[in-house]
Amino acid sequence: MASHIHVLFCEDDYILAGKADALIAQLSQGGAMSTEIIDGATDTIDTTIDAIGQFFSAARQFDLFASEKLVWLKNASFLGSDRTMGSESVKELLAQLIEFLSNDLPDGVELVITTTEFNKKYSFCKQLISLQKEGKVVFEEIPVGKKG
């Protein structure tokens, strides 16, 4: 079974953008797939809750005009932030999201999360990695080459 959840992590935002664009092009190839991009670059608890809520909502809603849908949580910077990831409200919402991701997604739905910050000490991040081991998530940590 192919995974329909993709997580890309790279500390270099330029490299990450290139990889994400290539993945988006690959996933949307050959179809009338609607694409919804959620800005995950947040700096407060409230904007983090809004971004997660928008992503969660978009992943659950069907598009009336396309049989396939791609939802991209772009630049999910909160995945490495002590301030936002420590919030009980954020933790509760992410727990609901993990539960949703743990089950089979509706047919025709592809989810992409990209981030330059991914702190594996947080429960949500650990659970994403666990879902990768179950084959439900494709997690790619993109190395940054040495400059010089």
Side-chain angles (χ1 to χ4, degrees):
M1 177 178 92
S3 176
H4 298 283
I5 306 165
H6 307 266
V7 179
L8 298 177
F9 163 63
C10 182
E11 292 176 352
D12 184 305
D13 57 353
Y14 181 77
I15 294 170
L16 180 62
K19 286 282 196 175
D21 288 343
L23 176 63
I24 299 299
Q26 175 190 352
L27 293 174
S28 60
Q29 196 172 34
M33 177 178 273
S34 73
T35 302
E36 190 164 345
I37 300 172
I38 311 298
D39 184 7
T42 63
D43 57 359
T44 67
I45 292 169
D46 288 339
T47 56
T48 300
I49 289 170
D50 287 345
I52 297 166
Q54 288 175 23
F55 180 69
F56 196 12
S57 178
R60 292 183 295 184
Q61 293 176 350
F62 290 99
D63 192 305
L64 297 175
F65 303 106
S67 61
E68 296 181 328
K69 181 176 189 175
L70 185 141
V71 183
W72 179 7
L73 181 58
K74 186 176 182 179
N75 300 326
S77 59
F78 59 87
L79 293 177
S81 169
D82 288 338
R83 186 169 27 127
T84 54
M85 293 297 279
S87 160
E88 288 304 315
S89 299
V90 170
K91 287 178 187 178
E92 289 172 19
L93 193 54
L94 288 174
Q96 293 172 18
L97 181 59
I98 279 292
E99 186 176 330
F100 174 75
L101 298 177
S102 298
N103 298 310
D104 292 332
L105 293 176
D107 288 339
V109 176
E110 297 283 345
L111 303 179
V112 176
I113 300 171
T114 58
T115 185
T116 57
E117 301 178 46
F118 190 86
N119 193 328
K120 296 176 185 175
K121 77 177 183 181
Y122 297 118
S123 177
F124 179 77
C125 297
K126 288 178 186 177
Q127 289 172 318
L128 280 177
I129 293 169
S130 185
L131 288 175
Q132 176 194 18
K133 293 175 184 173
E134 296 174 25
K136 294 184 177 193
V137 170
V138 175
F139 180 86
E140 184 177 359
E141 186 169 352
I142 304 158
V144 177
K146 291 183 179 179
K147 296 179 182 174

